[in-house]
């Protein structure tokens, strides 16, 4: 057991998970936090956005109920022809759940003996953190300060009608026309979610397709479904400025076109919260954009200083931030540690349909970075999917020629975030396609398509 002193800057997933590990290993742990325990992942990003999306999923299911033989009637017995969302109630619930989750984490930290100091910390060299004039000596420091929404001088949020992804939960009125600028994961999720809530959405994308960083086949399914459901997608359209005149927001594009709506969400990426933390003075090297440079065990260039989460720019997922934080403490405190392997990270885009991925990608295979056999199986032939009225989506598996080891996969469809898990296990444990295929699946189940795709890889 250790008696080392650990000071952690930031109470998000990278910070609180590191604190729990360090405390378990006997360290004296202090977490310095100014934004609320749980960080943006719990208070303004993952938990709130996925709660909003969960409401949107119910709306989508209700709208599709007629195909399954379900008819809704009003109090007079007439057919109910539409459903509507009470955005004020939705957002009240979103914020309540986020606050509750934050409180749960805070109670866990307290139970484990972790000291929480409210305030903004700053490094005073590699072995000391200063918070509001008080000094905390540290044998190890973990920087887990996260990131904030990126804005531009020509597109400044006002918190009312021009919004970042942190500000949408203060909306009480339903937008009459929503413009989302940015077609990465954040932009695609909000565009898909608000569309499902019955709000007209225009998505402005500077690239030739939505979700340019994801599997191209998956992106096409999402874009086709979104357009079919009424979304306007403006591809190869770069935003020049966003302005507001009363109740009207205007997005001007670089080609001179203008798009008008009642509200606009800016999804322009993130910037790390690393300014004025004393990092460079302590010997911490920052990369372009201000991200902290770390190795695969979360070490920075300064001895005894580690970093985790979005402030490193490694892969902006709460799960990755948490693992970076754990790895940092395992490494510093001498416990068993395995360096971070991004090829074993599973991720999900919470759109409708969802897009889940793990391991090597189609892009890497096409570029010759990984030799792999590929099988794609549409969900339209899956018995359970047919029962649920699901027509869009697929399962795609990648395996090494010769050995048959599964090295990657993509699942597109409802609850893809749950369905990717067996593929993730196969990738993590270097299972073969035959081993994945021979594990029993329930019939009928959508997960049966994963086993079927694996069986089809047997012929290679």
């Amino acid at each position: 057991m250790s008696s080392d002193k650990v000071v952690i800057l930031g109470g998000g997933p990278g910070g609180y998970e590191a604190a729990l590990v360090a405390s378990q290993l006997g360290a004296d742990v202090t977490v310095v936090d100014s934004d609320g325990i749980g960080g943006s992942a719990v208070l303004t990003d993952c938990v709130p956005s996925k709660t909003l999306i969960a409401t949107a999923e119910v709306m989508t299911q209700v709208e599709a109920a007629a195909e399954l033989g379900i008819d809704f009637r009003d109090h007079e017995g007439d057919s109910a022809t539409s459903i509507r969302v009470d955005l004020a109630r939705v957002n009240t619930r979103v914020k309540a759940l986020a606050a509750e989750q934050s409180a749960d984490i805070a109670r866990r930290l307290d139970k484990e003996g972790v000291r929480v100091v409210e305030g903004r910390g700053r490094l005073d060299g590699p072995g000391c953190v200063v918070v509001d004039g008080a000094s905390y000596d540290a044998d190890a420091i973990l920087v887990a300060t996260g990131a904030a929404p990126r804005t531009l001088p020509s597109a400044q949020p006002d918190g009312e009608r021009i919004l970042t992804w942190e500000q949408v939960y203060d909306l009480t009125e339903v937008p009459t026309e929503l413009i989302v600028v940015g077609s990465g994961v954040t932009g695609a999720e909000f565009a898909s979610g608000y569309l499902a809530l019955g709000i007209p959405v225009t998505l402005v994308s500077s690239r030739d397709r939505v979700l340019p960083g994801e599997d191209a086949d998956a992106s096409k399914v999402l874009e086709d479904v979104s357009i079919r459901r009424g979304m306007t997608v403006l591809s190869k359209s770069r935003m020049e400025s966003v302005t507001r005149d009363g109740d009207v927001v205007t997005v001007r594009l670089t080609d001179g076109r203008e798009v008008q709506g009642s509200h606009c969400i800016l999804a322009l990426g993130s910037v790390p919260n690393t300014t004025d933390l004393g990092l460079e003075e302590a010997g911490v090297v920052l990369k372009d954009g201000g991200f902290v440079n770390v190795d695969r065990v979360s070490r920075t260039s300064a001895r005894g200083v580690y970093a985790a989460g979005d402030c490193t720019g490694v892969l902006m997922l709460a799960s990755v931030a948490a693992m970076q934080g754990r790895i940092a403490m395992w490494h510093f405190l001498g416990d068993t540690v395995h360096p971070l392997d991004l090829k074993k990270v599973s991720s999900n885009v919470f759109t409708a349909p969802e897009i889940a991925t793990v391991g090597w990608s189609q892009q890497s295979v096409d570029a010759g970075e990984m030799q792999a056999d590929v099988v794609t199986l549409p969900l339209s032939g899956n018995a359970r999917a047919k029962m649920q009225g699901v027509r869009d989506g697929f399962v795609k598996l990648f395996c090494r020629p010769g050995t048959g080891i599964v090295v990657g996969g993509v699942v597109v469809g409802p609850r893809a975030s749950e369905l990717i898990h067996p593929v993730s296990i196969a990738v993590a444990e270097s299972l073969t396609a035959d081993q994945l295929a021979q594990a029993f699946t329930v019939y009928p189940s959508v997960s049966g398509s994963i086993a079927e795709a694996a069986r089809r890889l047997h012929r290679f």
Side-chain angles (χ1 to χ4, degrees), residues 109-176:
L109 291 175
D110 181 64
K111 181 180 178 181
E112 297 299 325
V114 175
R115 181 187 304 106
V116 176
V117 176
E118 293 186 11
R120 190 174 189 276
R122 190 178 191 281
L123 274 67
D124 184 12
C128 181
V129 170
V130 177
V131 185
D132 297 330
S135 296
Y136 296 85
D137 292 332
D139 297 297
I141 296 171
L142 175 70
V143 180
T145 48
R150 176 174 173 260
T151 60
L152 298 173
S154 61
Q156 286 293 302
D158 62 10
E160 295 179 349
R161 291 185 177 269
I162 304 175
L163 309 161
T164 68
W165 41 261
E166 290 184 330
Q167 298 171 328
V168 296
Y169 309 108
D170 291 326
L171 281 176
T172 55
E173 61 177 313
V174 177
T176 57

Side-chain angles (χ1 to χ4, degrees), residues 147 270-272 274 285-293 310-313 316:
S270 301
V271 293
T274 56
V285 171
L286 302 182
K287 299 181 290 186
D288 291 343
F291 292 97
V292 181
N293 190 42
D310 289 358
C311 67
T312 69
M316 290 189 175

Side-chain angles (χ1 to χ4, degrees), residues 183 188 191-192 195 203-212 214-237 349 351-355 392-394 412:
S183 61
S192 178
L195 181 71
L203 179 61
V204 177
S205 171
S206 63
R207 307 293 285 275
D208 59 351
R209 62 182 174 92
V210 175
L211 293 173
E214 299 294 324
D215 182 273
D217 295 330
S219 296
K220 186 177 188 309
V221 171
L222 174 62
E223 190 164 337
D224 289 347
V225 169
S226 299
I227 292 172
R228 188 177 74 223
R229 291 175 176 171
M231 185 185 296
T232 299
V233 178
L234 302 179
S235 58
K236 297 181 180 179
S237 301
V349 185
T351 46
E354 292 183 7
I355 299 172
D392 304 295
F394 60 81
V412 180

